[in-house]
Amino acid sequence: MSSMHRQQYLRRRTRWGYGWALWAAVLWGAWYVPGTAIWHETPLSGLSQGSPANFLMAAAVLTAFHACLVVVFQLFWLAALGKLADFFRTLWRFGGISKWYFLAAVMGGLLANFGSYLAMGYVGAVFAAVAGLLYPVVGATLARLWYRERIGRRAALGIAVIVLGGVAIYLPALLGELDTEGGARWLGYLGGALAALGWGMEGAIVGRAMDVTDPDCGVTIRYLAEALYWVLLILPGLAWLTPLPVYRLAGELWAWRPLLYLAVGALSFAFCAVAWYKSFPLIGVGRGQAIGAFYAMFATLFTAAFTLNFPEWYFLIGLALVIAGGFVMVSDSERNVGAVRLVEEGA
């Protein structure tokens, strides 16, 4: 391959990577609408914030439903692509490949997804979103430390500007939420911290695994692992070790309205995760996660469309910052086409 053709190939690869990451942000932002609405439906609307154990149980049951439905949608996706055989071959190679996805499921599912549902229910969607915006910093830092992913000055600046833009979008409303009284609201704040930490660590872990894995198969293994954790270990453990009505709540969520919200949210998140994972091998974990942080902008747009509560003036400032940060990162990749990781000479 000539140098010119190689440069053209790498530029197309980079554009595809940013395209997938942007799609992940759109679908991720859409997830906040049903993800928050479910908390206003029976039986969750009757939960008292003075009973932290009930909120923890509810977040666990919601996350279990979420993981199972995501796996269903992703298996249909694999079947449509004709990749089911590849999925099972990758799954059986536990020692070399799929163990990384099982570890990523702990970070992205048992920490991040659970923490995000907890934050949405206990503190509100605003806090859940702004806390999650910190995940690109975690992911990019770990990717740099673990396998020397290249983060140039412009890319680092772009990450910082995107995160700053997301904070500008949400911070005024967040301050209003923090002024309200609540019982054990620290659980919601803990959930937000778990979301940022878990999603950042998940991206760094799967960034290595996808060196030798198809992203469509890898993301399905990751959510299958999470579903198994919830269904076979955590929910039975809660039901056995505590007096909490775990299975009664799970049965009540089979009503059509809660199940509809869960299914719509899982459909959005299933393909958000597919797009997110596809971006990592193409542009790197740090860039993929930073563009994924555009979800803050899309979450605000979708929330405004469904609730008719339109954003304030600070939304425009945050929007401008997020877009500017994205352009800074794109300009970095154009200057360093294909330079995703630092590689030793002669390696």
Side-chain angles (χ1 to χ4, degrees), residues 128-169:
V130 73
L133 280 173
L134 300 177
Y135 86 91
V137 179
V138 177
T141 302
L142 292 177
R144 170 67 179 176
L145 293 176
W146 287 352
Y147 44 88
R148 306 185 68 208
E149 181 169 294
R150 185 187 298 270
I151 301 293
R153 290 182 179 179
R154 287 198 183 187
L157 177 61
I159 291 173
V161 174
I162 289 172
V163 172
L164 181 62
V167 172
I169 289 173

Side-chain angles (χ1 to χ4, degrees), residues 234-306:
I234 299 175
L235 294 188
L238 283 175
W240 183 44
L241 298 173
T242 71
L244 296 171
V246 176
Y247 293 123
R248 188 182 73 189
L249 177 61
E252 292 174 344
L253 287 175
W254 278 98
W256 75 270
R257 284 179 65 92
L259 196 59
L260 175 63
Y261 286 133
L262 286 168
V264 171
L267 178 63
S268 176
F269 211 88
F271 293 102
C272 157
V274 167
W276 201 47
Y277 273 46
K278 280 180 175 292
S279 72
F280 292 160
L282 299 176
I283 58 176
V285 171
R287 295 178 183 130
Q289 291 194 336
I291 296 300
F294 274 61
Y295 80 82
M297 175 183 69
F298 293 111
T300 302
L301 290 173
F302 290 129
T303 301
F306 279 91

